[in-house]
Amino acid sequence: MAASASDPIRVMLVDDSAVVRGLVTRILEAETDIEIVASVGNGQMALSTLERVAVDVVLLDIEMPVMDGLTALPKLLQADPGLKIIMQSTLTMKGASVSLRALEMGAADYIPKPTATRELAGGADFRTELLSKIRALGQARQRSANRPPRPAATGAAAVPRPASTGAPPRVQIHPSSTVTLRTAAIESFDVIAIGSSTGGPQALFTLLGTMRAGTVTQPILITQHMPATFTMILAEHISRVSGWEAREGQDGEVVRSGRVYIAPGDFHMVVEVRGTEKIVRLNKNPPENFCRPSVDPMLRSIAAAYGRRVMTCILTGMGSDGLKGGQAVVASGGTVIAQDEPSSVVWGMPGAVATAGVCSAVLPLPEIAPWIMKQAARR
């Protein structure tokens, strides 16, 4: 059942901490386009609630009594395959590893778990990230054909919706916009550049798991919107699923064939030319598109360093990061492709380039690796 644009996004909070649930409730209650339909203390209660309450987005803690988040995650998705689940995670090595595991299992995204310091006092950064992710995923859910109808919410878990005014604008996306394709570059390419955000880790595992080490020889540079620590764990997961030598980019290292370079969290990763070599450079220039690392500076630098011999792929993610960089790639004679809307968790970043006329192909995720490998074989 498709939702109308006026339907609120239905959210269930799952956390054993009443303090955290109270913080999130206060943030979400102020938004007229978001409705808290349930607030429960463990995964078992979430499963029981899902049987009688229609939900779009679940905010799911990892460590809880009775049934933890990793145990509940596949059960919730089995009960409702279209459900969008955001994991709450600590920004530690353990938290990053568990979060990446949850993303492999089908979670749509993660958010740093509120702490007893700034966030519990209503930190603006946490509020902004929470609302943007709920809106992006909730609107994607609302457009899906398998969104369940709303039953009457009953029981102690149901949270009444307060009166509110002045709904903020919704996240800009690109549903059903016109896609205009351009001809791919005639020459092959010397580098592959990938940009991704929400849903990106799962997409990267699929893409590089198919395009395994040895199937192409060009180096791969990736900017995935992630905080520090998480990008190091992401590189380890990519190495495990693909056989590529994947790691965070190091400032000053030479770009080598057969390697995957991940932009470290909180650093822009760019490429500079030094004689006949291409060099990775890291910087803390201001965020672009509210992100650091950002896809745009990486793509601009790669376009300048490699000219027309660039293959760029924009995967699932909210926002429009990668659009200006993709335009720079095309202006230099390179090629840009994007993930299509049905296979994207959020069709923001790929939708931006697909509807701007810079793409040579807009493909379902499983078809991207074969397309790139076919083009690479022309080298």
Side-chain angles (χ1 to χ4, degrees):
M1 176 177 292
S4 72
S6 61
D7 285 345
I9 297 165
R10 307 177 304 221
V11 177
M12 175 163 63
L13 312 179
V14 188
D15 197 306
D16 62 320
S17 169
V19 174
V20 172
R21 294 202 311 273
L23 162 69
V24 175
T25 296
R26 288 194 297 274
I27 292 173
L28 300 187
E29 280 182 343
E31 310 302 320
T32 59
D33 59 334
I34 297 172
E35 177 181 5
I36 304 173
V37 295
S39 179
V40 299
N42 62 63
Q44 185 61 60
M45 295 174 68
L47 284 167
S48 299
T49 302
L50 193 61
E51 293 178 357
R52 64 181 188 276
V53 178
V55 179
D56 297 319
V57 178
V58 175
L59 192 63
L60 182 64
D61 190 23
I62 292 176
E63 296 183 1
M64 295 179 290
V66 184
M67 182 183 291
D68 62 37
L70 283 185
T71 302
L73 173 61
K75 297 178 183 292
L76 290 167
L77 290 174
Q78 183 178 17
D80 184 352
L83 195 62
K84 304 297 185 183
I85 299 179
I86 303 173
M87 307 301 295
Q88 290 191 107
S89 170
T90 57
L91 291 178
T92 62
M93 191 74 71
K94 179 183 177 182
S97 182
V98 173
S99 296
L100 265 293
R101 182 180 168 195
L103 294 176
E104 288 184 277
M105 294 168 62
D109 209 339
Y110 63 89
I111 190 168
K113 188 174 175 64
T115 65
T117 54
R118 182 178 60 183
E119 289 84 0
L120 290 181
D125 290 346
F126 174 74
R127 178 182 181 277
T128 299
E129 184 174 4
L130 175 68
L131 292 176
S132 64
K133 290 187 175 184
I134 287 176
R135 286 194 173 105
L137 293 170
Q139 290 169 34
R141 165 72 159 178
Q142 287 180 333
R143 295 193 305 277
S144 68
N146 62 349
R147 189 194 194 213
R150 175 194 297 275
T154 59
V159 178
R161 179 168 176 76
S164 182
T165 59
R170 298 193 173 202
V171 178
Q172 180 63 45
I173 48 180
H174 316 273
S176 304
S177 298
T178 301
V179 174
T180 302
L181 299 181
R182 59 188 298 119
T183 303
I186 297 175
E187 294 187 55
S188 186
F189 46 92
D190 292 336
V191 65
I192 300 169
I194 301 174
S196 53
S197 183
T198 307
Q202 307 97 308
L204 290 168
F205 300 148
T206 298
L207 172 59
L208 296 175
T210 302
M211 193 169 66
R212 296 184 62 82
T215 57
V216 299
T217 59
Q218 292 88 342
I220 300 175
L221 285 83
I222 299 172
T223 290
Q224 159 71 41
H225 297 162
M226 273 187 161
T229 305
F230 277 63
T231 46
M232 181 176 65
I233 301 299
L234 175 65
E236 293 175 357
H237 280 242
I238 288 175
S239 295
R240 176 170 54 80
V241 302
S242 69
W244 284 87
E245 182 183 343
R247 62 190 184 189
E248 289 183 318
Q250 302 294 316
D251 189 60
E253 72 175 316
V254 177
V255 178
R256 304 290 187 189
S257 296
R259 293 183 182 177
V260 174
Y261 302 86
I262 312 288
D266 202 31
F267 286 89
H268 295 308
M269 182 175 71
V270 299
V271 175
E272 292 182 357
V273 178
R274 186 175 65 193
T276 60
E277 295 179 323
K278 309 298 191 297
I279 307 297
V280 172
R281 305 300 303 191
L282 305 179
N283 67 66
K284 284 206 170 187
N285 291 344
E288 295 190 30
N289 305 297
F290 310 101
C291 301
R292 191 173 62 206
S294 173
V295 180
D296 278 340
M298 179 185 74
L299 294 185
R300 288 196 305 267
S301 72
I302 289 176
Y306 288 88
R308 62 183 179 276
R309 301 183 72 85
V310 178
M311 170 62 67
T312 297
C313 179
I314 304 298
L315 299 175
T316 174
M318 61 184 180
S320 60
D321 192 19
L323 172 57
K324 293 180 180 178
Q327 291 169 331
V329 168
V330 169
S332 296
T335 297
V336 176
I337 65 173
Q339 186 175 350
D340 73 353
E341 183 173 8
S343 68
S344 295
V345 174
V346 178
W347 206 55
M349 289 167 54
V353 293
T355 57
V358 300
C359 288
S360 296
V362 178
L363 302 168
L365 180 60
E367 297 181 17
I368 293 176
W371 195 94
I372 293 175
M373 289 187 288
K374 181 179 179 181
Q375 300 299 314
R378 298 163 50 192
R379 187 182 186 187

